[in-house]
Amino acid sequence: SGSYDKTVRVWDISTGTCTKTLTGHSKTVYSVAVSRDGQTVVSGSPDRTIRVWAMNRENGPDGQLLKGQVVLIQMPNGAIERATVELPKPKGKFIGTVKVRYVSDNSTYHVKKSQIRELS
């Protein structure tokens, strides 16, 4: 479900409990769609973004990042940067990295998957 608190909530319909809260929108989430297999959720907001969420991940990166997904990157100096995935599985010399676009300055970089601290 979408919410005024800018989140998407995933519910266990048998118990009525929230099993996961997805963050990343900066305004109310009005639209949510779930794929037939339940593995992908798409959400929309007046913040002018559409977010794609992979539901089959537990608590960390597993190589199933999706283009457009919002992630938090831990920088070498310890700072946390918010970024959007541009290229989930680069090839060639960039294997094992993820190409991201930083929200702060719109620049793109390849980062190691181990630098991804939180996934949206």
Side-chain angles (χ1 to χ4, degrees):
S1 63
S3 177
Y4 284 104
D5 69 0
K6 308 171 196 167
T7 64
V8 175
R9 297 187 191 278
V10 179
W11 299 89
D12 179 331
I13 57 172
S14 63
T15 65
T17 58
C18 177
T19 59
K20 190 177 249 188
T21 301
L22 309 172
T23 60
H25 285 289
S26 61
K27 292 188 177 180
T28 300
V29 177
Y30 286 113
S31 303
V32 177
V34 180
S35 64
R36 286 185 184 191
D37 64 5
Q39 296 302 304
T40 305
V41 172
V42 179
S43 58
S45 167
D47 64 7
R48 303 183 75 167
T49 63
I50 295 174
R51 304 276 185 214
V52 179
W53 315 88
M55 294 292 98
N56 54 355
R57 263 192 327 277
E58 288 299 321
N59 294 314
D62 66 355
Q64 297 181 22
L65 298 171
L66 300 172
K67 183 174 181 174
Q69 184 174 356
V70 176
V71 295
L72 296 180
I73 308 291
Q74 182 162 4
M75 306 304 287
N77 66 2
I80 301 293
E81 288 278 343
R82 187 173 167 186
T84 303
V85 174
E86 291 279 311
L87 188 59
K89 296 180 181 179
K91 296 180 177 160
K93 68 179 183 176
F94 295 110
I95 288 177
T97 68
V98 176
K99 183 178 179 185
V100 298
R101 180 173 302 278
Y102 290 106
V103 172
S104 61
D105 64 2
N106 206 33
S107 61
T108 59
Y109 292 95
H110 287 268
V111 297
K112 295 177 184 175
K113 288 185 180 181
S114 61
Q115 289 179 265
I116 298 174
R117 291 292 173 239
E118 200 172 301
L119 302 173
S120 300

